[in-house]
Structure formats: C-alpha cells, structure tokens
Amino acid sequence: MTLQARVVIVGGGVMGTSIAYHLARAGVRDVVLVERDELAAGSTSKAAGGVRAQFSDELNIQLGARSLEAFGRFGRELGQDIGLHRVGYLFLLSTPEEVASFEAGVRLQNSLGVPSRMLTPQEARRLSPLITTDGLLAAAYSPDDGHCTPETVVHGYAAAARAHGARILRHTELTGIELHGDTVTAVSTTLGRIATDTVICAAGAWSRAVGAMVGVDLPVQPLRRQIAVTEPVPGLPPTLPMTIDFTTSLYFHAEGPGLLLGMSDPDEKPGFATDTHDRWIPRLYEAMQRRAPALLDLRRTGTWAGLYENTPDHNALIGEAPSVSRFLYATGFSGHGFLQGPAVGEIVRDLYLGRVPFLDVRPLSAGRFAADAPRPEANLV
Ligand SMILES: Cc1cc2nc3c(=O)[nH]c(=O)nc-3n(C[C@H](O)[C@H](O)[C@H](O)COP(=O)(O)OP(=O)(O)OC[C@H]3O[C@@H](n4cnc5c(N)ncnc54)[C@H](O)[C@@H]3O)c2cc1C
C-alpha cells in the first residue's frame, strides 16, 4: 500500500501534534503524522508540565511568552481543558553570581514584555511556604508562568489536527526516507510507503537517527531524568508556584493534593534507558534538607523517568536542512520543549509555507555547531 502525503511529520509528542495542528489549520491538505507508539508516549508525557518565559536567551523568552498566550487560549480555542495553573515560577538564588545572572535575565524579560521581578527571601517564602530562607540571597518570580498537563495538550492538538483533516497514524514507525538526488520523494514506515516531498522531524530524543536517514546531523543526546510524586500535603496553598532551588536544581509544584518533585542527577550518563532507580534519592534528600526540609517527611507515592533531548548548547534545533529538499526539524529542546510546543508549531508551519515566522529562529539551526555559533541557555533546570 502506498499512501500520499503533502507532509509527513515524525513523532506524536507536543511538537509533532502542534505542528500537525498548525499546518492543517492553515489549510495544508494531506498532513500525515506517524508515531511508533501511543501519542505523547515519548518525553512529553514524562514532563513536569512547567510553562515559563523566564529564560536568559531572548529567543527562549519569546518562544515561552508566545506559548504561554496559546496555553491560556487552549481551552477556548481547542475545546480541551489542559489543567493550566498560572501560579508563577519562583527561582531561589543562593549565590551572588546567580543573583547577578537572574537580575540581567529579569531586565531582558521585562524589555520583552514579561512581568518577571526579583523578590527578597521573605517574599519568596510567603509565596512558597515549604522553603527555608537560610542561605537564600534573593528570588526571581514571574506570575504569568505556571504548569499544565502535557498529555492533554497533545490530545487537544491531535484532535484539532484531525478535525482539520490531518491523519495521525499511531503504532507506525518511520524506518527510512527515500531521496531522488537531494529531494525527498517518500518515506518507508512499518505500515507501508508514503509518497511525499516533505518530512518534518519531531522525534525528540530519537531525532539523530531520523536525521541520519538523509545525512543530516541532528546532535541530540538522550539523558534520563526522574520525577517523584508525594502523598497529599495538608494546607498546600492553591497558588503554590513552581519552586526551583537553582543551586541544587530541586524543583516542586502542586500535583493534585500532593507534590511533584524533580532534580537533575549529575551521575546520569547519556542513553535511552527510562527505568527508574533510587541512586538519585540521597542527593534529592540533601537538597530538600538544605532548601525545603518540610519535604523530607512526605511519603513518595510514585516515580517515573523520561528523557531530556540534549544538544551541545542545551538549546533547541529548529529549521530546514540546506542539504536536502525538504527536510525540516524541531527537536533537541533539552528539557524545555513542552513549554515551547505552541510557538514552535506556528514557526514550523510558517517555515513550511515560506512565510516569515513571528520570530527569526535562524540562530537555532542545526548548522550552528559547524559554524561555531552555539547559543547557550543559562536558565536550565
Ligand atoms: C522528567 C522530565 C521533566 C520535564 N519537564 C519539563 C517541563 O517542566 N517543561 C518543559 O517545557 N519541558 C519539560 N521536559 C522536556 C519535555 O518533555 C520535552 O522537551 C518535550 O516533551 C519534547 O517534545 P517532543 O514532541 O519534541 O518529543 P517527544 O514527546 O519525545 O515525542 C517524540 C516522539 O517521536 C516518536 N518517534 C521517535 N522516533 C520515531 C520513528 N522513527 N517513527 C515514529 N515515531 C518516532 C517517539 O515515540 C515520541 O513519541 C521534561 C522532560 C523530562 C524527561
């Protein structure tokens, strides 16, 4: 069986489904998305759901702010409740270097319309009462940020994409891309061949293998990250912000009546493993002891692991390969891709259609490493 498609999107996470929705809604016919598992089965369903515009890189600030607007309209526009809590992001800062870097970030964010501000340790504790202010110098806070439920965003985009005529093929793996010279002519999948002249790679942590099918280097490296959820916490304020101890990377936000907790693990080695283990727990407890001892008493009721999709400068790869006609990519979001899904969907639609996107993302092209023009993001969790 050979299917026909105007565009084949690889990957059914937040990126693939947002791109499918934006293309189909713009009137592009025969959009086909292939996902080898269930929708959202990759990193998206494992994310903490944090959405924010507090970044150090002006492109990330604008991608975050544009996406926050879209998350705010999501229920109205797409008819899907995404559990959005606009409770803010609170970064806790314990060194003069962190304070200086966040002050510069707040200035840049404010110049781009983001209402972030610096707080005293006491103001921070009023917002997030489970923390201790010992050793805290300051905090950065933006009330527009928050968190929502990643799978619901994917299902909202997928349903709306289908309603606009896109086809979503689950349990369908992309196994190859056919080229005639430097032009895409078809893809092979476990369901059969699909004739097409455009492929968009939104394959997350697995993107390097997709790029290799057309000789395009997408330098994306998988790295396991773990999350724990806790029993209900009595008296949790409904406005508890996503709280991040920037020095240790411990973060938490309300998840139903309990908390969702996460932290980076410097001992983790790159790889595709997503089983959970307890080796990160001693470090997690140390960080709790230091910044939020109240968390130590909470029983953990669940854990899971997912993959960050890291690039060498921990910033996204968005663009179109110059060596192949037409191979586009939106990947390598390095742990902050869920929150960029709406804006990146819009941008990739415009790149496909040859329109000028709302933001010039050329500095995020995969070619920046060969050109020795990395684009590091400092505000990473
Ligand atoms: C523990 C954890 C916490 C996180 N917290 C946050 C957060 O708070 N905020 C935030 O913004 N981001 C967060 N992230 C990062 C976020 O999850 C990712 O950046 C984002 O989900 C990437 O979306 P994606 O659509 O690019 O990739 P994915 O969701 O991984 O989707 C890619 C899909 O491609 C499919 N695929 C791969 N290869 C093929 C193939 N050959 N054929 C067909 N299908 C294929 C996969 O099955 C997968 O479903 C977190 C990540 C983790 C692991």
Side-chain angles (χ1 to χ4, degrees):
M1 180 180 67
T2 298
L3 297 171
Q4 293 274 349
R6 190 77 52 94
V7 182
V8 173
I9 300 164
V10 189
V14 69
M15 287 305 160
T17 53
S18 170
I19 295 166
Y21 164 69
H22 282 96
L23 285 174
R25 193 179 159 197
V28 179
R29 302 195 39 204
D30 301 325
V31 173
V32 172
L33 182 154
V34 294
E35 165 54 55
R36 66 179 167 201
D37 200 319
E38 293 293 347
L39 290 177
S43 301
T44 302
S45 61
K46 312 301 186 317
V51 292
R52 62 172 162 131
Q54 285 188 82
F55 283 96
S56 67
D57 180 325
E58 63 183 286
L59 294 181
N60 287 332
I61 296 169
Q62 291 169 94
L63 290 169
R66 183 83 162 196
S67 294
L68 283 170
E69 286 172 20
F71 286 127
R73 297 191 306 266
F74 209 97
R76 270 195 322 280
E77 271 186 17
L78 286 93
Q80 171 85 37
D81 177 7
I82 59 168
L84 179 62
H85 298 275
R86 266 332 222 319
V87 288
Y89 251 68
L90 179 70
F91 287 95
L92 306 172
L93 311 170
S94 314
T95 69
E97 294 75 24
E98 288 171 6
V99 175
S101 159
F102 273 78
E103 281 174 345
V106 163
R107 278 196 296 276
L108 181 60
Q109 291 150 21
N110 292 171
S111 75
L112 294 166
V114 173
S116 52
R117 60 183 192 270
M118 299 300 291
L119 300 182
T120 64
Q122 291 68 31
E123 288 170 325
R125 188 159 193 282
R126 275 201 288 280
L127 286 170
S128 189
L130 296 172
I131 64 164
T132 165
T133 54
D134 293 352
L136 204 60
L137 295 181
Y141 172 67
S142 183
D144 268 11
D145 298 342
H147 54 90
C148 60
T149 311
E151 302 90 302
T152 61
V153 171
V154 168
H155 291 297
Y157 274 140
R162 281 194 197 98
H164 286 284
R167 288 188 71 180
I168 295 187
L169 305 176
R170 292 174 304 131
H171 303 289
T172 305
E173 180 167 359
L174 179 94
T175 52
I177 301 175
E178 293 175 27
L179 294 174
H180 182 74
D182 63 0
T183 302
V184 171
T185 52
V187 298
S188 37
T189 77
T190 47
L191 195 73
R193 189 168 177 273
I194 306 176
T196 187
D197 62 14
T198 303
V199 172
I200 301 177
C201 173
W206 301 269
S207 294
R208 194 159 211 164
V210 174
M213 292 174 186
V214 287
V216 172
D217 186 25
L218 297 176
V220 179
Q221 199 173 51
L223 187 72
R224 173 170 46 194
R225 290 285 294 245
Q226 300 202 75
I227 280 189
V229 286
T230 76
E231 63 183 338
V233 185
L236 209 56
T239 53
L240 184 80
M242 168 75 120
T243 303
I244 296 145
D245 183 39
F246 196 69
T247 315
T248 58
S249 83
L250 166 69
Y251 65 84
F252 59 87
H253 69 65
E255 183 76 356
L259 290 176
L260 177 154
L261 310 163
M263 199 172 128
S264 65
D265 177 358
D267 292 334
E268 197 66 69
K269 301 277 181 293
F272 287 101
T274 54
D275 51 319
T276 57
H277 62 72
D278 276 350
R279 293 190 298 278
W280 68 304
I281 298 297
R283 208 176 258 123
L284 178 71
Y285 278 24
E286 245 176 64
M288 289 175 174
Q289 179 73 56
R290 176 179 183 277
R291 185 51 61 221
L295 303 184
L296 291 168
D297 299 330
L298 299 174
R299 194 167 54 86
R300 279 179 285 134
T301 54
T303 55
W304 68 81
L307 298 174
Y308 268 25
E309 31 8 354
N310 287 337
T311 63
D313 59 7
H314 295 268
N315 225 339
L317 308 174
I318 306 172
E320 177 161 3
S323 53
V324 183
S325 174
R326 300 197 65 184
F327 180 80
L328 292 87
Y329 51 85
T331 183
F333 292 91
S334 305
H336 49 271
F338 170 61
L339 67 91
Q340 296 189 344
V344 172
E346 258 189 76
I347 288 174
V348 174
R349 172 201 65 200
D350 292 342
L351 294 179
Y352 171 75
L353 291 172
R355 295 181 186 163
V356 178
F358 80 91
L359 190 64
D360 182 0
V361 292
R362 281 175 295 182
L364 296 177
S365 82
R368 69 183 181 269
F369 302 107
D372 203 18
R375 181 104 195 171
E377 166 58 53
N379 190 353
L380 297 168
V381 182

